[in-house]
Amino acid sequence: MIEGFTAIYIFMLAAIAGYEVISKVPVILHTPLMSGSNFIHGIVVVGAIIALISASNLTEQIIGFIGVLMAAGNAAGGYVATDRMLEMFKSSDG
């Protein structure tokens, strides 16, 4: 199990790597990238649920519940944003 500073270090490296990767993506590829990230957020929801199930005390359960809530909200928001972007590409003919 990863604990303490190691977890924070990994989180910070992942945040920096994610920011660098996303900032270099051309605008035309944002919609497919968001669809892919929605898929990954679905996996994050499953992982958060598994972490919540294996929580042994109240603090871990609260953190797990917040994790599930935030991951589910992020995945749902991603699908809504992707749907709105795809609406912009539809023709107005019908």
Side-chain angles (χ1 to χ4, degrees):
M1 189 83 180
I2 300 171
E3 294 183 14
F5 286 113
T6 305
I8 292 172
Y9 183 70
I10 290 172
F11 176 76
M12 288 173 45
L13 285 177
I16 291 169
Y19 177 77
E20 288 297 320
V21 168
I22 296 297
S23 67
K24 305 244 184 312
V25 172
V27 174
I28 192 75
L29 295 177
H30 279 189
T31 302
L33 182 66
M34 287 203 53
S35 297
S37 67
N38 288 340
F39 169 73
I40 293 170
H41 287 131
I43 296 171
V44 170
V45 171
V46 172
I49 290 171
I50 291 171
L52 178 61
I53 290 171
S54 64
S56 59
N57 61 31
L58 182 63
T59 305
E60 292 175 355
Q61 290 173 347
I62 290 172
I63 292 172
F65 178 75
I66 291 171
V68 169
L69 200 63
M70 291 177 74
N74 198 7
Y79 281 112
V80 170
T82 301
D83 186 51
R84 290 186 70 185
M85 281 203 264
L86 291 176
E87 287 289 326
M88 294 187 325
F89 292 109
K90 288 184 179 176
S91 65
S92 60
D93 295 346

